[in-house]
Amino acid sequence: MLNFAWPWLLLLLPLPLLIRRLPPVEPRTAALKVPFLQRFDLSAASSTTTQRWQRPRGPLLVLVVIWLLLVLAASRPQWLDELVELPISGRDLMLAVDLSASMSMRDFEIGNRHVNRLEAIKAVANQFIDRREGDRLGLILFAQQAYLQVPLTFDHDTVKTLLNEAELGLAGRQTAIGDAIGMAVKQLRNIDAGDAAAKVNERVLVLLTDGANTAGEIAPDVAAGIAARNGIRIFTVGVAGEPMLIQGVFGLEQVDPSAELDEELLVEIAETTGGRYFRARDTRELAQIYRAINALAPIEQDPAQYRPRQELYPWLLAFAALLALGLFGWLNYGGRPALQEKPV
């Protein structure tokens, strides 16, 4: 079904005709007096012919079509598909992903290939998002500062796209866990009660980090207390590999990638809010969060109705631009009308 988002703009269609009917502007009389004007022979001027362009109908018709296309595009025509029932599980879920400098450590493995911690989170989170049918998802990226990257939405493809585009150092080099929790609480608490899709039984934050709180304005325990009072459960995930041997200057050296991981803090945050702490030493353990989230008891709700729509105005604008370019080229290089003399 064809629909116009702004149909009132169609009233602009007769605007060129209205402008054409406006009275012409009277030319101003010359203020410069020429005392020797009588020396010029004006008789020849009175007998000469005036030259004018012969205006063919072709360019005028093209201009009319261009105007019609522009007005139609401005009214935002849309093609509406059939109504689709959208299942609602009763969960609002925010993902908070750490982008601090320590996430660059390559202590995870995917397909026999060593990857850094952020790449491992992206790989597992993409599968996690694909399984969240009926959930509204949001995305927070944090390091020294916390940023809301995607507000709560059913558009899971956008969440995955913006997560995959996240880069280390985008939000600084330190870790502000408290600010990330505070940002999530603000989003999950400010749910419009009149929105049928927002009447949820479970509000969840999944916090993935590999370090301790080293920055931010809100202490993590304070933010966790606020989340608990608002009925928000936090599942914390400590992302760091097992101790490993690496080749150093004096031979093999043991390195503990989880030395900076504050597990006590993450456990406290999870327990304060009724959530659970996970230690992800590899991608298999990182994927265990699936079962915990799926174990949440969603509230039964009537499915929401959604009508997919496709915007048509870009096609109209493109066609209008092609016509304008063709008319410009024809008038300037190929089809300039010839001057014709017409006696007065």
Side-chain angles (χ1 to χ4, degrees):
M1 181 178 64
L2 186 64
N3 178 65
F4 291 92
W6 302 326
W8 53 271
L9 287 175
L10 295 175
L11 297 175
L12 296 176
L13 284 174
L15 183 61
L17 293 177
L18 297 177
I19 295 177
R20 186 180 179 85
R21 291 182 176 276
L22 292 177
V25 179
E26 294 294 335
R28 296 181 180 180
T29 57
L32 179 64
K33 295 183 179 180
V34 184
F36 49 86
L37 186 61
Q38 63 273 14
R39 298 182 185 179
F40 293 97
D41 185 6
L42 300 180
S43 60
S46 62
S47 62
T48 58
T49 60
T50 61
Q51 295 181 337
R52 69 181 181 88
W53 292 101
Q54 178 125 17
R55 299 178 181 175
R57 292 181 178 272
L60 181 60
L61 292 177
V62 174
L63 289 174
V64 170
V65 173
I66 292 174
W67 174 252
L68 291 176
L69 291 173
L70 291 177
V71 174
L72 288 175
S75 63
R76 278 190 63 191
Q78 302 167 336
W79 181 258
L80 302 180
D81 292 332
E82 298 288 339
L83 282 173
V84 177
E85 289 190 350
L86 188 63
I88 300 176
S89 68
R91 284 188 291 252
D92 272 353
L93 190 148
M94 297 291 300
L95 291 175
V97 179
D98 188 353
L99 297 183
S100 60
S102 57
M103 293 288 288
S104 62
M105 182 171 292
R106 295 180 173 271
D107 54 349
F108 277 72
E109 188 173 326
I110 298 179
N112 297 324
R113 182 174 62 93
H114 287 284
V115 298
N116 63 37
R117 296 167 178 176
L118 179 59
E119 292 176 2
I121 286 178
K122 290 179 180 180
V124 177
N126 282 327
Q127 302 173 19
F128 175 73
I129 292 172
D130 288 335
R131 301 183 184 184
R132 304 273 64 77
E133 182 179 0
D135 291 349
R136 291 203 308 175
L137 299 182
L139 177 63
I140 293 174
L141 302 178
F142 72 97
Q144 190 168 346
Q145 295 176 325
Y147 297 95
L148 177 64
Q149 193 73 353
V150 184
L152 289 168
T153 177
F154 286 112
D155 188 358
H156 295 176
D157 290 336
T158 297
V159 178
K160 290 198 301 182
T161 299
L162 294 180
L163 174 60
N164 292 331
E165 292 177 354
E167 297 291 339
L168 294 173
L170 186 66
R173 300 182 61 85
Q174 296 178 304
T175 309
I177 296 176
D179 287 2
I181 297 175
M183 177 70 70
V185 170
K186 180 179 179 181
Q187 295 300 313
L188 293 170
R189 183 175 57 186
N190 294 338
I191 296 175
D192 184 6
D195 185 1
K199 297 175 182 178
V200 297
N201 188 41
E202 291 289 350
R203 290 177 291 176
V204 178
L205 167 64
V206 179
L207 178 74
L208 301 105
T209 183
D210 69 339
N213 188 76
T214 57
E217 300 180 359
I218 305 176
D221 56 343
V222 174
I226 297 174
R229 288 193 294 273
N230 285 275
I232 300 171
R233 300 173 68 181
I234 301 179
F235 290 80
T236 55
V237 183
V239 184
E242 289 282 16
M244 62 180 67
L245 295 175
I246 63 172
Q247 184 65 41
V249 179
F250 302 102
L252 293 177
E253 299 179 359
Q254 186 176 23
V255 176
D256 186 5
S258 60
E260 298 181 0
L261 180 62
D262 191 349
E263 292 192 271
E264 293 183 3
L265 173 63
L266 298 180
V267 170
E268 179 184 353
I269 292 172
E271 292 180 349
T272 300
T273 60
R276 181 180 171 187
Y277 169 68
F278 293 86
R279 170 63 190 279
R281 300 173 179 84
D282 51 38
T283 54
R284 180 184 58 82
E285 291 186 348
L286 189 58
Q288 288 181 357
I289 196 172
Y290 292 156
R291 291 189 291 271
I293 299 299
N294 289 332
L296 297 177
I299 181 175
E300 291 294 334
Q301 299 186 52
D302 295 331
Q305 290 186 333
Y306 170 70
R307 187 185 293 274
R309 65 186 63 192
Q310 181 182 2
E311 298 286 351
L312 301 179
Y313 71 88
W315 298 97
L316 299 177
L317 291 178
F319 190 34
L322 289 176
L323 288 178
L325 289 174
L327 181 62
F328 176 80
W330 184 71
L331 291 178
N332 287 276
Y333 301 104
R336 179 184 291 275
L339 282 173
Q340 293 186 357
E341 292 186 355
K342 183 176 180 181
V344 177

